[in-house]
Amino acid sequence: MSGLREGFQGTLKFYRGGLKLYPQEELYREMSFISYYFHWSSSDVMGLDHMTRRKWCSEISRINESLNPSKKSKEKSILDMKPTR
């Protein structure tokens, strides 16, 4: 039982500063971006951790930039978009 208590105390240390969640609008924006370009299901995209999802968004944006080098017709990168709030 003492091992369980130690794990619990470690958890308290981790959350002591408060748990911050990823903004829901940002999550849906990234999910939509990946799903639109790669035709992945929402469950596939939701299965990605935060860093992996951000990496995919970055790579898709890089591909778009290389395919559309003109500034006029360039699609916006998901990473350049500002939250709507």
Side-chain angles (χ1 to χ4, degrees), residues 37 64-65 67-76:
Y37 282 100
N64 280 335
E65 287 173 8
L67 293 176
N68 301 314
S70 167
K71 294 280 184 194
K72 252 184 182 177
S73 64
K74 179 182 163 189
E75 291 187 42
K76 245 186 173 176

Side-chain angles (χ1 to χ4, degrees), residues 4-60:
L4 180 61
R5 282 190 173 271
E6 286 176 16
F8 182 71
Q9 292 298 329
T11 303
L12 284 176
K13 289 179 188 175
F14 180 75
Y15 291 116
R16 184 165 297 179
L19 178 64
K20 292 187 179 181
L21 299 176
Y22 197 62
Q24 187 176 11
E25 287 181 26
E26 187 69 21
L27 174 64
Y28 283 119
R29 187 176 292 122
E30 291 174 3
M31 289 177 57
S32 301
F33 190 72
I34 295 170
S35 297
Y36 176 79
Y37 282 100
F38 284 171
H39 308 286
W40 289 358
S41 70
S42 59
S43 60
D44 289 338
V45 179
M46 278 300 284
L48 300 172
D49 62 77
H50 172 72
M51 294 303 294
T52 304
R53 195 176 53 252
R54 295 288 295 189
K55 180 66 176 167
W56 277 112
C57 288
S58 177
E59 289 301 313
I60 293 168

